[in-house]
Amino acid sequence: MSSNDSAFVRSATPLSTRSGVWFGFLGVLAFSFTVPFTRVAVGALDPLFVGTARAVVAGVLAMIALAVCRVRFPSRSQVTRLVVVAIGIVVGFPVLTSLALTTTTAAHSAVIIGLLPAITAATVVMRTGERPGRRFWLFSVAGACAVIGYSFIAHGSLGSPSIGDLYLVGAVLLGALGYSEGGLLARELGAWQTVSWALVVAFPVMSVATVVVAVLAPPHASAAQWSAFAYLGVVSMFLGFFAWYRGLAIGPMTTVSQTQLIQPVLTLIWSALLIGEAITAPLVIGGVVIVGCAWGAVRSRMSSAATAAVATPAVTGSASPEVPRGTPVPLR
């Protein structure tokens, strides 16, 4: 298999926005287990170990994949941008959410992380110049307000932010940065190549951090807790991004990012089923509203006439001339 030929050839007919949305949903499904499994893992393992060692596990898998597929090195400018992606999705989001989940519940964390789609959409607009319509922003803001409203109803008061909330806000900001820049790079490098190179870039730092934490607090956990950690390293940190960055690359990125509005609902369901957190009436009502807002945001953008201009995923490298219909191109 030659450089960057990570999949097989087919017609160059542009993929539709619907394809991007479905890839996005697949990524969201994978990510929706992250918070409850992190909650399980930090029950015995040091949160810094969970946040750093999962990146080491994923980094080893990434290096194997890149070597087997003989993927060529990114350019110097792309490496600089990969550092931004690594700071967002490899270092910032995993470490900060792990720290947060030592002081707050998976349900509460899922609600705060529910702000991620709106922040991602705003970051994409600033970074790419995509201009969603008024209806898209209406549904997006409504979804964010529904998340906050659910928190208010469920907890009785927003109250003063705890240190866990501050960790989660930091995770959301860095995650949005990593998602938007990673989505752009996926159009040049490919989806799985982007997350793999980001993991490689962060590997030295995360390896040293993991060793230091393991020496200071030797890890001991049950089989269930190690299994949860394994999911975080293999799926949440690696495989889930194959679909997520693929969806963002197909785009429009602002549309695909809104599929994450359903992630808090899925996470709360998994938290109830896996770790016994309660499913309440506010959760059911809030979940219906949040999913409705996500559907409205996605549908409003998919029906926009502007979608066609940005729905075609780019092939490896910088922008290239239009490829005639029927010409084989590599897919990632």
Side-chain angles (χ1 to χ4, degrees), residues 129-252:
E130 281 188 21
R131 292 293 181 268
R134 186 176 302 173
R135 186 181 173 192
F136 168 86
W137 287 114
L138 177 63
F139 279 111
S140 298
V141 172
C145 290
V147 169
I148 297 173
Y150 164 74
S151 179
F152 180 83
I153 294 172
H155 299 284
S157 173
L158 293 178
S160 301
S162 66
I163 185 64
D165 292 328
L166 296 179
Y167 284 141
L168 290 169
V169 169
V172 166
L173 294 176
L174 291 175
L177 182 64
Y179 286 167
S180 58
E181 195 62 46
L184 288 174
L185 273 172
R187 294 175 175 174
E188 303 171 21
L189 299 175
W192 74 265
Q193 292 95 328
T194 296
V195 66
S196 295
W197 282 120
L199 288 163
V200 170
V201 166
F203 189 79
V205 172
M206 302 305 271
S207 298
V208 172
T210 298
V211 171
V212 171
V213 175
V215 169
L216 295 176
H220 298 286
S222 66
Q225 289 162 332
W226 281 119
S227 297
F229 171 79
Y231 184 93
L232 298 175
V234 176
V235 181
S236 298
M237 197 79 260
F238 189 51
L239 297 180
F241 280 99
F242 286 28
W244 180 243
Y245 276 156
R246 179 63 168 157
L248 290 176
I250 295 171

Side-chain angles (χ1 to χ4, degrees), residues 267-289:
T267 295
L268 291 167
I269 293 173
W270 308 144
S271 297
L273 295 177
L274 297 174
I275 58 179
E277 294 188 0
I279 295 181
T280 62
L283 167 59
V284 175
I285 296 171
V288 170
V289 173

Side-chain angles (χ1 to χ4, degrees), residues 2 34 36 83 99 129 151 172 181 183 203 209 238 255 263 273 287 291 313:
S2 60
T34 301
V83 171
L99 290 170
S151 179
V172 166
E181 195 62 46
F203 189 79
F238 189 51
T255 303
Q263 185 170 325
L273 295 177
V291 171

Side-chain angles (χ1 to χ4, degrees), residues 47-57 90 94-95 206-207 209-211 213:
L48 287 177
F49 176 84
V50 173
T52 59
R54 64 193 268 193
V56 173
V57 172
V90 181
V95 172
M206 302 305 271
S207 298
T210 298
V211 171
V213 175

